[in-house]
Amino acid sequence: MSWILLLAGAFFAWNIEDGTGARGFGLVVFALVVGLLLQRMQRRIDALRTEVAELKAGPMQERARGMVPAETAPLAEPPASLPDEGPPAAASARIPSPPASSPGPIPESDVSTPALAIEEHALRITGSIGETMLAWFRGGNAIVRLGVVILFIGVAFLLRFAAEHTRIPIELRLTGVALGAIALVAIGWRLRVRRPGYGVSLQGAGAGLLYLVIFAALRLYDLLPPVLAFTLLAALSVLTALLAMLQNALPLAVLGFSGGFLAPVFASSGQGSHVALFSYYLVLNLGIAWVASRKAWKLLNLVGFVLTFVIGAAWGWAAYRPELFWSTEPFLVLHFALYLYVSVQYSRQLLAAPGSAPQARVPYVDGGLLFGLPFVTFGLQAGLVRHLPYGLAVSSAALSGIYLLLGRWLWRQGGASMRLLTEGMLALGLVFLVLVTPLALDARWTGAAWAVQGAGVLWIALRQQRGWAALLGLMLQLAAAVAFWSVDRPFHAAPFANPHLLGALLLGLSALVSARLLRQAARGEAFAWPGAARPLPAETIIGIHWLMLVLGCVQVLAGIWLEWRQVDAPSLDAGWRVALMFSIAAIVLESLKRRLRWPELSLPARVLTAFALLTSASSVLDRLWLADSLFTRLTAGWGWLELTLVAGTAAWLLHRLDHDEPGGNEEERASRSLALEHLLLGWYLMWQGGVGLYAIAARLIARHEAWTPLAAIVPPTLFAWWIAERLSKARWPAAAHPLAWSRGLLLPWLALLLLWSLLANLLLDGSMQPLSYVPLLNPVDLGHGLALLYALRVWRVGCAPGRVLAPVASVAGFCWVTSILVRTLHHWAGTPMWLHGALHRSVVQAGLTLLWTAIALVAMLFAARRASPRFARSVWIS
């Protein structure tokens, strides 16, 4: 049958030369076809020669061993050249029968059979696009199918340019092409048994050429009336479907219908009626729907769906106008209904097949068609109704009703056997129902629909174990996020009552649902990733889960933040608003963690809590030296609420982390708290307590030179003291990380108190106006007493060794006592303070001399009577 391809190549080369003058290109194509045929024939001849040599050598070896009689040894030598592809019967006849002494008949695996009859009819092939494409090249004859494509393109160019470059009447040209197409169909029908690969390919080529001729006669040359043309097209569609069904040949159906869909594209002159085009496609899709009601041919469904909607979208992009709505909308609705019917029939055919779909390892739901159909249709509908005020909202409501009613009907008809398809229908119905409100307010929310549909695609992909479909669902959500957040929120929108917030929540919740599905897939709770030779590792799936979890949380918080910042609350600046929002979000996430058995939710809750603590603490820095503003900000209702909520959230979260049952399931409990988290909460409480009391003292006390410094250290010192008490009793929170509390808070605060002592003694005079100054009972000395008691408590708890603490305390005490004398002389004798020349006054010099002498005598007396010899020597030297 190689001569058919030779004629096809020569015909195409001649048409190219005659129609366009491209003689060189035509000769190249003809040479390419000839070269491919010669190469294939040479490989075939070599294979046959090798087979003959093996058959001749086998009996000779048996005869040499005395196992085969001499009279049975010679074999008739086959001819040197054989036909291109002999029939199976002829091929098996060339294999000799086994001798009488042979242990048994030749195994079936040694007898070659046509690949088409074995591979391309199997359910696992026709139900999978990837397997179908592989079988397309492995089964039958790939060179024949390539020649069919070249022949179809050549005839298409011939018909397009025939009227301009030839003198032969167009009627004769079309008649000749039609006769040639009928001849191809007839030859293919005769070869359907002996050479299935040739037969179905030639029949598909003939059917495609007939589509091309009829459409060209209708649209380009006005040779057929519309009624007759569409009658012929309908008849041809039925004939192609019948031929494919009778021979169980998916390649024939794909070739025939592909030619039908592409005929208007190749024969188009750029002008014509879109009604005729879409009516013609409707006839073709009716044929595909009829085939789908009897065969589960996934590739045929995909070809019809893609070509119909892609060509329709291209026409809409180039030529659609609002005045064409009523002549275009019915075709979109009809094609949507047809392919919705096709998607249902695909599942029903697989479930009705012998052995059922699970045994055949074919997913009984076409996820791409199920979720791609509403996605594409909704996008095209958005372009058609963009001039109507509520067109997209009404469309969403209609789609919601269709999917909900159809899902309900399928559940009653199929029950649990069609559960996956039914769940997908109901999910789509709910999605479109949710979108009705935001679409009625703002038609920009097509992006939100993409995000929700992306989550649906991921769900069905994981159920079907389709890795590429899962990736498509994730990429669809990422694209939806980019499209949505590229549009600013309307300034005039009411806070928390606008479609922008609802869209952001849909985007975020879709990402969170996707993260949940991926976690279940990795943990094996509900889904299993494809069991291929190299399955995707669970660690990779968990990593993608973390990405979607973060994306979902960020989008939800971003949407809420855009509304929260519009709320009129002068006492709350941006920092405190962020802290409030983060704290509430952390409470929600931590509460859902155990209810959903999703321990990973604890990490974003902890991160948000940490950010809330830092944001709340840093929000007072810009007003630290403005006492009135700081007092107003802290004492306002929102301010105390923010402080209480942030601190309470952090304490509650850490308490839950530290009190999870140690014997619980590792998957159901969160990891323990970190020492850094405890220290962050501790320093936050000390900071806010000190700043708050400082602001109150600065506002309520007229002269605050001494009272405000004391107020700044009282709350932090009391909190640190309480932590030391809890540490000594091994109670929470100190017991969770005792070393961290000791070295990260207790000792650093003691060092800060030492620094406070040095600065207070150097700068403050201890004034108590309007009260009189009293040594040891003024604010500065009272603060030193509190610091001394705290140092003793830290020492008794064991946080600091005595050999280090004693010298430091001695130096600090010496400076304190010295400053008490200077402050007393300042208030009673009118001498200046340290920075104003106190050492230049004789009264101060005499007082310091007497004081230091007394201190030295007391120290020597203590060293002589109480201290050890080693300690006594250090005291004497000092």
Side-chain angles (χ1 to χ4, degrees), residues 167-181:
R167 297 181 180 179
I168 301 176
I170 191 60
E171 294 84 354
L172 295 180
R173 282 305 261 303
L174 293 178
T175 303
V177 175
L179 292 177

Side-chain angles (χ1 to χ4, degrees), residues 121-152:
H121 295 166
L123 182 61
R124 68 179 184 87
I125 300 296
T126 60
S128 173
I129 295 177
E131 293 292 336
T132 303
M133 298 304 295
L134 290 177
W136 181 274
F137 294 102
R138 293 176 179 175
N141 193 317
I143 301 298
V144 172
R145 292 170 181 173
L146 178 61
V148 164
V149 175
I150 296 175
L151 176 63
F152 181 81

Side-chain angles (χ1 to χ4, degrees), residues 859-860 862-865 867-878:
M860 287 187 294
F862 173 78
R865 295 186 176 183
S868 61
R870 182 178 179 183
F871 181 73
R873 285 195 299 271
S874 62
V875 173
W876 277 90
I877 294 174
S878 60

Side-chain angles (χ1 to χ4, degrees), residues 464-552:
Q464 292 187 352
Q465 301 182 5
R466 297 284 184 178
W468 285 108
L471 180 61
L472 176 62
L474 295 174
M475 296 302 296
L476 185 59
Q477 295 184 65
L478 295 178
V482 173
F484 180 86
W485 293 109
S486 61
V487 180
D488 296 332
R489 176 189 181 275
F491 291 101
H492 60 277
F496 296 102
N498 58 82
H500 195 277
L501 174 62
L502 184 56
L505 294 179
L506 285 175
L507 286 166
L509 293 177
S510 299
L512 292 176
V513 170
S514 300
R516 175 70 172 176
L517 294 175
L518 289 169
R519 181 187 180 276
Q520 291 176 333
R523 295 289 188 269
E525 297 177 6
F527 309 119
W529 200 259
R534 293 184 178 179
L536 196 62
E539 294 78 7
T540 304
I541 303 178
I542 287 295
I544 303 175
H545 148 269
W546 278 113
L547 174 63
M548 299 307 295
L549 178 59
V550 172
L551 181 63

Side-chain angles (χ1 to χ4, degrees), residues 288-300:
I288 292 178
W290 182 80
V291 174
S293 65
R294 290 160 176 78
K295 292 291 183 180
W297 287 350
K298 192 172 184 178
L299 179 60
L300 179 61

